[in-house]
Amino acid sequence: MIKSNCTLSAVIVFLTTLLLSVLPPHSHAQWGYNGYQIPYLINATDIVPGPDNSVWVLQGLLAGPEYSVSYLQRYDEDGYPMFEQPGIRATEMDVISDPMGILPTSDGGVILGFVASMDEEYGNSIYGQRYSADGEKLWGPDGAPAILTHLLADNYPNYPTICSDGNDGFWCYFFDSPNTPIYVCGLNSDGSMKVDEPILIREDLWPSGDIITIAEGDSGGMYIAFITSRYDDITNIQHVNADGSLRWEDPPTLYDGPLSRKTYIMKALDNHFYLVTPGINIFYFNSDADMQWDDRLTFRFGANTQNSSPVVFPDGSIGLVGTGNNTVFIRVRPDGTSYYDDGYRINLHHYYNDGFIYFKSLNLSNDNLFLYCTFIHQYYNAITSNRTQKIDTNDGHECWQDSVFVCSPYHGILGSLSTVTTNNELVIVAIESSFNCFLFKVHEDGSVAGRTDDVPESPSDIEQPTSFSLLALYPNPFNHQIILELEIQQAEAISITLYNLLGESIYQRQPSIEMGFNRLSLNMEEIGLASGTYFITIAGPKEKLTRKVEYVH
């Protein structure tokens, strides 16, 4: 009996040690010390507001070596999932699913657009599904998704992207590979197709996702901007009306210059729209695509000027943050005048002293009085941190003495960020390069939900093993094979061990490693794992790391 009790105690101590190594401190609070960790691999993310200060998150679970499945989850204002994890499955079949994003609806639900292969007669096709606030599927028979368009069996829609039609439906554009023409299709709020056949926008277009940008248009339509060809830096515009007709027979030219990832079309008042291009250049057009100012407004802050995504205010003005030699908040009225003389300088530039700034998002508070500017600060040693600053939209000044530190991965870099405001607070979903995903909330006063003491804000503050760093571990969940990416700082032997929940070692390997970057592939097909939770421990002579992993058979 004494031996049995000792064995049980040893197992409890082992499991406790493992759990403490993978759970953040203060885990009794859902938001937690380091945010709420979403316990599934994320291969695509999007976040939009839901009812009652909740948020919807698009999260993807890697379900096997050849396909991935998308799920929707809704989190309440305290960060708790409202559906059983991983959430609502987009399709009931194990099919290729390429999510294009989610859009909020007026009833508190969401619309999801995705690409899948669900019909043997056709190949990859574009689908949509609408969900109520309670997660009920509203389109298609028996919850099946609504079809936008079928494609040929050997084709795949390149760069499919969606935007709202303003009436709880959506538009989508795509290239029908291997051809290069660009098409548009869409679904109405009841799931019916907007057009019987995809609308041809341009036939002789150079196929690249960098040269197209879309936005909600007038009266249920959509705007789409594109360049004429690979070699002509001329940007054209077309408006697709709600009935699928085109506003212009010959798409008008907006300006002589190319599009890029940092180009935005923004719907304004009275069927006007803005065009923002890198540089920073701001244009303002009426519904006939006639320029309303004598010339574009240009803002330059040095050779490396970049801009955040813009927002349009209820009064029709447009705001954005630009950076270069200085970091400046810009707000321009529809008449072309600035709210502040050449913008208002905000205190972000000092982060350039030890790295770089990459703008991720600009979110308007729900009362329209403040903006949250979220950016990634990358240090010269490649470790990154996520920060945000709150800006008063009336006078342009920053509300906090310094930007707020939100998160920094202990290993690797931040893979992506998505943000949304709810109840005048900022909610962030962030992914590490190791595919760990966390949910954070920043309060109006700049405090981070669930955080009660100091957190590491720079690489020098982050506790890491001195002889090695785990850069990535994927996929997680995994099926037979899992990959570890390690940075080896000291030439010392390491061991990799897989434990089950009883603390039993069921796989061990001592790999050959070299100084610097190492990618290790662990094949566990022959050991006959059962689906469930396991722990991987990487150990050196003086230190070790443990990570929780999920195996899916």
Side-chain angles (χ1 to χ4, degrees):
M1 181 65 67
I2 294 175
K3 183 177 181 181
S4 247
N5 287 339
C6 289
T7 302
L8 179 61
S9 298
V11 170
I12 292 173
V13 169
F14 175 81
L15 290 176
T16 302
T17 303
L18 285 176
L19 288 173
L20 287 176
S21 70
V22 297
L23 292 178
H26 312 298
S27 58
H28 61 274
Q30 179 69 3
W31 288 111
Y33 179 77
N34 288 319
Y36 167 62
Q37 181 170 2
I38 299 175
Y40 291 88
L41 167 69
I42 305 300
N43 60 1
T45 60
D46 204 357
I47 183 169
V48 299
D52 303 321
N53 303 323
S54 65
V55 295
W56 287 92
V57 176
L58 172 64
Q59 50 194 56
L61 167 66
L62 189 66
E66 297 180 354
Y67 56 84
S68 61
V69 179
S70 295
Y71 292 84
L72 281 168
Q73 183 59 270
R74 185 177 156 207
Y75 296 89
D76 67 18
E77 61 181 337
D78 295 318
Y80 288 94
M82 302 182 70
F83 310 116
E84 183 178 354
Q85 288 283 27
I88 307 166
R89 186 164 175 162
T91 66
E92 297 303 322
M93 301 171 60
D94 292 337
V95 295
I96 297 173
S97 178
D98 186 4
M100 297 183 290
I102 52 177
L103 301 168
T105 57
S106 59
D107 60 0
V110 288
I111 293 173
L112 168 68
F114 62 96
V115 179
S117 179
M118 299 177 61
D119 192 323
E120 294 182 358
E121 182 180 353
Y122 298 95
N124 300 297
S125 301
I126 301 177
Y127 293 87
Q129 183 55 274
R130 181 176 175 180
Y131 301 82
S132 69
D134 296 327
E136 179 185 0
K137 296 179 180 180
L138 302 179
W139 287 348
D142 299 323
I147 181 72
L148 277 80
T149 181
H150 283 306
L151 304 175
L152 298 177
D154 58 347
N155 286 3
Y156 191 85
N158 285 323
Y159 306 105
T161 305
I162 62 174
C163 73
S164 173
D165 66 358
N167 297 315
D168 290 340
F170 71 95
W171 290 99
C172 169
Y173 88 83
F174 64 95
F175 292 105
D176 190 5
S177 61
N179 303 315
T180 59
I182 178 172
Y183 294 94
V184 166
C185 55
L187 291 174
N188 297 308
S189 60
D190 61 359
S192 61
M193 297 171 62
K194 289 183 176 293
V195 290
D196 294 333
E197 298 291 339
I199 306 164
L200 178 63
I201 299 297
R202 187 82 184 187
E203 191 166 5
D204 56 344
L205 194 68
W206 180 55
S208 169
D210 292 348
I211 60 171
I212 293 178
T213 183
I214 61 175
E216 178 185 336
D218 306 328
S219 305
M222 69 167 286
Y223 286 108
I224 178 167
F226 52 91
I227 64 172
T228 304
S229 73
R230 181 176 183 177
Y231 305 104
D232 296 333
D233 288 341
I234 299 175
T235 296
N236 298 98
I237 188 80
Q238 182 59 273
H239 185 276
V240 182
N241 301 319
D243 61 1
S245 62
L246 302 180
R247 177 175 293 178
W248 299 291
E249 183 178 352
D250 294 317
T253 297
L254 295 183
Y255 82 112
D256 292 341
L259 293 176
S260 77
R261 295 181 188 270
K262 289 292 185 178
T263 299
Y264 302 92
I265 301 175
M266 304 297 295
K267 181 182 177 182
L269 300 179
D270 302 323
N271 295 336
H272 287 50
F273 65 94
Y274 291 98
L275 181 72
V276 179
T277 66
I280 303 165
N281 303 295
I282 303 177
F283 304 78
Y284 187 55
F285 301 92
N286 64 14
S287 59
D288 294 325
D290 296 326
M291 179 68 170
Q292 298 299 285
W293 302 331
D294 292 337
D295 199 358
R296 72 187 76 177
L297 298 181
T298 299
F299 299 87
R300 293 285 188 273
F301 309 113
N304 297 316
T305 297
Q306 61 161 307
N307 58 281
S308 69
S309 57
V311 296
V312 174
F313 294 89
D315 66 356
S317 60
I318 188 171
L320 57 87
V321 173
T323 191
N325 295 332
N326 301 301
T327 305
V328 175
F329 172 56
I330 302 164
R331 186 175 177 184
V332 177
R333 298 182 180 90
D335 63 5
T337 60
S338 176
Y339 269 74
Y340 331 110
D341 294 337
D342 295 327
Y344 185 93
R345 184 173 300 183
I346 56 179
N347 188 29
L348 298 182
H349 181 68
H350 61 280
Y351 291 108
Y352 277 104
N353 295 333
D354 58 355
F356 306 93
I357 285 180
Y358 302 99
F359 288 120
K360 299 303 293 184
S361 62
L362 201 62
N363 296 91
L364 188 61
S365 64
N366 303 95
D367 59 12
N368 300 316
L369 298 179
F370 302 97
L371 283 168
Y372 290 98
C373 177
T374 304
F375 61 96
I376 287 179
H377 177 216
Q378 180 170 324
Y379 298 88
Y380 285 120
N381 63 359
I383 294 180
T384 59
S385 67
N386 162 235
R387 309 185 70 94
T388 190
Q389 177 60 272
K390 185 179 177 183
I391 302 170
D392 189 313
T393 59
N394 290 318
D395 57 19
H397 75 270
E398 58 264 64
C399 299
W400 304 323
Q401 184 174 1
D402 193 8
S403 58
V404 172
F405 170 80
V406 179
C407 62
S408 180
Y410 288 156
H411 302 281
I413 62 173
L414 288 168
S416 66
L417 279 175
S418 297
T419 58
V420 70
T421 51
T422 175
N423 195 30
N424 291 324
E425 297 176 316
L426 182 71
V427 179
I428 300 171
V429 57
I431 310 172
E432 296 181 13
S433 60
S434 56
F435 298 105
N436 293 318
C437 184
F438 297 88
L439 202 62
F440 299 88
K441 177 183 279 189
V442 181
H443 296 306
E444 291 185 82
D445 62 0
S447 61
V448 179
R451 187 168 295 166
T452 58
D453 50 10
D454 293 335
V455 293
E457 296 198 21
S458 68
S460 60
D461 299 327
I462 298 173
E463 294 184 6
Q464 298 189 48
T466 56
S467 61
F468 64 88
S469 297
L470 177 62
L471 302 178
L473 185 154
Y474 61 92
N476 187 14
F478 71 99
N479 179 271
H480 300 316
Q481 187 178 62
I482 193 165
I483 295 173
L484 285 74
E485 294 182 355
L486 299 169
E487 183 73 25
I488 305 299
Q489 285 91 29
Q490 297 180 17
E492 298 177 333
I494 65 169
S495 65
I496 300 172
T497 307
L498 184 72
Y499 295 93
N500 62 19
L501 284 174
L502 297 178
E504 300 168 338
S505 171
I506 56 177
Y507 174 91
Q508 189 170 46
R509 178 179 170 186
Q510 291 183 323
S512 300
I513 56 173
E514 300 176 349
M515 292 286 289
F517 178 79
N518 291 255
R519 179 182 285 111
L520 306 176
S521 177
L522 310 181
N523 193 329
M524 303 179 190
E525 184 173 5
E526 295 182 357
I527 62 177
L529 293 179
S531 296
T533 301
Y534 296 86
F535 298 91
I536 285 184
T537 295
I538 308 164
K542 301 177 182 179
E543 60 227 345
K544 65 180 180 181
L545 286 174
T546 300
R547 292 291 183 265
K548 183 173 67 173
V549 294
E550 300 286 337
Y551 177 76
V552 179
H553 183 65

